[in-house]
Amino acid sequence: MTRLLKTAAMTLGLVLGLAQALPALAQDKVKVQWLGQAAFKITTVAGKVIVIDPWLQTNPKTPEAYRKLEALGKVDLVLVTHGHFDHMADAPALAKMHNAPLWAPAGLSQSLAILGVLPGNQALRMNKSGTVTPLGPDVKVTLVKAEHSSELVWKNPATGRDEVHVGGEPGGFVIEFENGFKLWHMGDTGVFGDMKLIADMYRPDLVLMPIGGGQFVMNPQHAAMVTKEMIRPKAVIPMHYLTNPGLPGTPADYTKALGETGVKVLAIQPGETVEF
């Protein structure tokens, strides 16, 4: 009986040890969740949460479950690519809610601080080729070029009228994670030659790419050309399409234009998550 009890105890200890190890094994990947338009929630290997370009509460493509900002859970870092409403509408509120830093192109952050939208110690400035490590040295965030515009529309509380303020230059973010995985959120952009330079410098595994076309960003055909001839990533998540009539491109259009390629197109739906 004693020997049986010892064996049972050893078996139980082994099972408990494996159970404790499994969560750690499950956390060795980066989680990327699309929330509609250009909004993403990204969870690092260590469990830190980055939110990029949050337009959630009034975004018609954001699932109802995520239109309440509290549904995102703890947010550790907010990144904004440029000053347009559909990219930063909920960014200040999220930063305030979690006392999280908000990093954005320098002119945009400066306007947010001067207008009193965010305290200066939360509206943090960076510029293209600048790299910051707000979550610790193992997660690097670099601002890179985008070809777009960036006006900040602010409602003056004294007059009730909208005002247009400096929004800085638009950008995208390259993020390198603890496990070596690299992601490029392109923000809003048209085609520009230095896309190839950025790809050669940072070698992103995954690109979050606007494809909506119309009068705002790359159309599916341009996005496909960029994917095949300039960036050549392992995977692409199409974004920034069909939110309004001015963004008519679709993942099907993009995939058709891409043709035979080794690039994996992850045409996920808002609310869905993929891991890397």
Side-chain angles (χ1 to χ4, degrees):
M1 179 64 73
T2 303
R3 181 177 295 176
L4 287 173
L5 289 173
K6 286 182 179 180
T7 301
M10 290 175 63
T11 302
L12 179 60
L14 180 61
V15 170
L16 290 173
L18 286 171
Q20 291 172 351
L22 283 174
L25 291 173
Q27 293 173 7
D28 65 353
K29 292 186 177 180
V30 175
K31 298 177 177 63
V32 179
Q33 183 181 30
W34 186 37
L35 296 172
Q37 196 71 336
F40 284 84
K41 175 184 176 181
I42 300 168
T43 306
T44 72
V45 173
K48 298 290 186 180
V49 172
I50 304 169
V51 175
I52 307 178
D53 284 2
W55 172 38
L56 305 172
Q57 295 184 92
T58 60
N59 184 342
K61 294 296 183 180
T62 298
E64 188 67 33
Y66 294 100
R67 291 189 184 180
K68 291 185 178 179
L69 301 185
E70 295 84 353
L72 295 178
K74 179 71 171 72
V75 174
D76 300 288
L77 173 63
V78 180
L79 301 176
V80 177
T81 60
H82 63 288
H84 292 163
F85 178 85
D86 60 327
H87 292 257
M88 66 154 290
D90 296 312
L94 271 178
K96 286 180 180 178
M97 182 182 295
H98 300 282
N99 194 30
L102 184 154
W103 285 91
L108 174 56
S109 286
Q110 197 156 23
S111 289
L112 292 175
I114 289 173
L115 293 171
V117 178
L118 270 179
N121 64 348
Q122 282 185 274
L124 302 170
R125 301 181 301 144
M126 63 189 304
N127 222 315
K128 290 182 284 291
S129 290
T131 300
V132 296
T133 55
L135 300 179
D138 294 331
V139 178
K140 299 176 182 178
V141 179
T142 301
L143 184 65
V144 297
K145 182 179 178 178
E147 193 64 47
H148 198 59
S149 59
S150 180
E151 306 80 21
L152 173 63
V153 178
W154 175 73
K155 187 177 289 294
N156 188 324
T159 65
R161 295 182 177 179
D162 286 341
E163 300 175 357
V164 178
H165 291 267
V166 172
E169 293 187 358
F173 290 103
V174 174
I175 309 175
E176 182 175 354
F177 296 90
E178 305 98 315
N179 59 358
F181 173 71
K182 294 180 183 179
L183 172 155
W184 179 5
H185 186 300
M186 300 186 84
D188 277 2
T189 190
V191 180
F192 60 94
D194 283 348
M195 286 177 169
K196 184 177 186 306
L197 176 63
I198 293 169
D200 288 345
M201 288 179 65
Y202 299 104
R203 300 188 181 280
D205 300 293
L206 171 68
V207 178
L208 313 179
M209 184 175 293
I211 66 161
Q215 65 265 45
F216 295 112
V217 295
M218 295 187 292
N219 63 34
Q221 293 73 32
H222 290 166
M225 181 272 292
V226 163
T227 302
K228 289 189 293 186
E229 300 181 19
M230 302 174 76
I231 303 178
R232 298 184 294 277
K234 294 177 182 176
V236 169
I237 295 178
M239 66 170 186
H240 205 276
Y241 62 88
L242 295 183
T243 315
N244 61 60
L247 297 168
T250 68
D253 296 332
Y254 169 69
T255 302
K256 180 180 178 181
L258 198 58
E260 293 295 327
T261 175
V263 178
K264 188 172 185 180
V265 178
L266 302 171
I268 61 175
Q269 296 301 306
E272 293 182 345
T273 300
V274 289
E275 296 185 351
F276 300 88

